[in-house]
Amino acid sequence: MGTIRARAAATVRRLGTERVVLVAYLAFTVWVLVDPSRETQRVWATVAAIGYAAALVGLSVGLGPRRSCLVAAVGSVVVPTVLLVVRGMGQPEIRVVHSGAVQLMSAGSPYLPDPSSVYEYRPYLPALYAFGVVPATGGDLRLPALALLVAALVAVRFWSRRVPAGPVDHRAALDTRLALLVACPLVAAAIAVSGVDVPQAALTVLAIALVARHRYAWSAVAIGLTMAIKPTGACAAFVLVVCIYRRDGLAAALRFAGVSGATALVTVLPVARTDPRAMWANVVEFPSGESLVQSPAASPLPGVLLRLAGVPAWASLALVLVAGAAFAVWCVVRSSPDVSWAASRIALGLCLAFLLVPYSRVGYFLVPVLVFFPFQWAALHGRTPAYA
């Protein structure tokens, strides 16, 4: 086993990490193209394969890792996303967000009082529907969500430049890894064909980067909006409160908690007051399995398997709450002022929630992946001192 690992490591060193990763990405697109049942994913895979191939050519002709990986990111994310938006192709949740946005603008609430089919349920909190009202995209949330993600990653990049460069160009290495992260097929495909989880991930990344710059008020607004998109945003808010407490004391942590909570309430309460019963049916009963129509979210994850085994929804949710309480205590006991610590704990908390809730998809893990890696890579390359 040791010999095999040594040979594999030697092969990666000889070929280059970027080349090996891009070949793996390209192989994944070929696997997607073999499945004829997913037309939207096949369109993404066709375009992405060209992007990955172009990036590999770039590496071979001396374009350099940073520029080549940027080509891969543009080819696997930006180009197919624009193409799919223009063609009107995508997952059903895109139309759910758009229809909810239209009703929010006309009736003050995105929620139908008596939904009768799975696509009449709108299980997201009100802030997400703001991404479905952009006229230039026809109400498709993917382009504004992608723009927000790019802005968040630029914020990470801007923060990392605070530390002077050493003999190794760490900034170029970070750029390369960020581009590879966005170009990762599991991330790129989720952005291009759905995009519904991208705003939460982007706002969380932006909030962590702002904490690193001691811009607590703006960070609190960003994290408050994540809580107004999905309830899981509360995990990020809690971890950042603990991190800020370690960085600047109780007063700063309480101000952050107050601003983030107020932002979430100001966004959610006006809609909740319009039709509280409809909001409860859509946001609570449907995702928890208590509605007449069952959520299509399914996967081989523990929470889903417990539901399929007959465990009642209330018991599954109680398990989530107990696990959340244990996680919160652990975060407080093992707290740190380092933003890379905050990013890792937020990612872990979200993974725990997605593993245990009764209705879950593998695609939900897009959020912890995008939250975790940028700050860990930045820390690894010496770009993130504990107090930034």
Side-chain angles (χ1 to χ4, degrees), residues 158-159 162 206-220 243-249 252 255-256 337-339 385-388:
F158 176 72
W159 156 58
R162 295 193 68 198
L206 180 61
I208 298 170
L210 288 169
V211 166
R213 301 282 292 183
H214 295 269
R215 303 293 192 266
Y216 295 155
W218 288 110
S219 176
C243 181
I244 291 170
Y245 169 73
R246 288 294 310 275
R247 290 167 70 90
D248 287 303
R255 284 194 297 271
F256 180 91
D338 194 343
V339 291
Y387 294 94

Side-chain angles (χ1 to χ4, degrees), residues 47-317:
V47 179
I50 297 173
Y52 296 143
L56 285 168
V57 171
L59 286 173
S60 300
V61 300
L63 189 60
R66 177 161 54 177
R67 292 179 181 177
S68 297
C69 291
L70 181 60
V71 168
V74 172
S76 63
V77 179
V78 179
V79 175
T81 300
V82 172
L83 178 63
L84 290 171
V85 169
V86 170
R87 289 189 176 185
M89 300 174 67
Q91 296 287 85
E93 55 264 27
I94 298 171
R95 294 188 292 275
V96 169
V97 172
H98 175 57
S99 60
V102 171
Q103 185 170 328
L104 175 63
M105 299 295 290
S106 61
S109 172
Y111 308 113
L112 295 173
D114 296 301
S116 58
S117 70
V118 64
Y119 297 120
E120 289 184 351
Y121 278 95
R122 290 149 190 174
Y124 314 111
L125 289 173
L128 183 62
Y129 299 100
F131 289 85
V133 298
V134 181
T137 64
D140 194 308
L141 86 158
R142 284 174 288 183
L143 290 182
L146 175 58
L148 181 61
L149 177 61
V150 171
L153 294 177
V154 168
V156 174
R157 180 64 171 79
F158 176 72
W159 156 58
S160 72
R161 293 186 66 176
R162 295 193 68 198
V163 183
V168 177
D169 192 348
H170 295 297
R171 287 174 294 193
L174 178 59
D175 289 345
T176 301
R177 280 157 178 75
L178 289 176
L180 280 176
L181 172 65
V182 175
C184 174
L186 298 180
V187 174
I191 295 172
V193 306
S194 173
V196 74
D197 294 307
V198 176
Q200 182 185 11
L203 285 168
T204 304
V205 170
L206 180 61
I208 298 170
L210 288 169
V211 166
R213 301 282 292 183
H214 295 269
R215 303 293 192 266
Y216 295 155
W218 288 110
S219 176
V221 171
I223 214 66
L225 290 175
T226 68
M227 291 192 285
I229 288 175
K230 286 189 176 183
T232 48
C235 170
F238 173 79
V239 172
L240 288 179
V241 167
V242 175
C243 181
I244 291 170
Y245 169 73
R246 288 294 310 275
R247 290 167 70 90
D248 287 303
L250 181 61
L254 290 177
R255 284 194 297 271
F256 180 91
V259 174
S260 60
T263 301
L265 290 175
V266 166
T267 306
V268 172
L269 281 183
V271 175
R273 291 180 60 185
T274 301
D275 194 341
R277 179 67 190 89
M279 184 172 178
W280 180 267
N282 281 264
V283 176
V284 178
E285 291 182 352
F286 179 64
S288 63
E290 295 299 319
S291 59
L292 294 177
V293 179
Q294 297 296 297
S295 170
S299 59
L301 298 175
V304 177
L305 296 178
L306 287 175
R307 172 178 58 82
L308 295 177
V311 175
W314 66 264
S316 296
L317 294 176

Side-chain angles (χ1 to χ4, degrees), residues 18-30 52 56 185:
E18 294 81 11
R19 184 173 281 104
V20 171
V21 171
L22 288 170
V23 168
Y25 289 178
L26 183 60
F28 182 89
T29 62
V30 174
Y52 296 143
L56 285 168

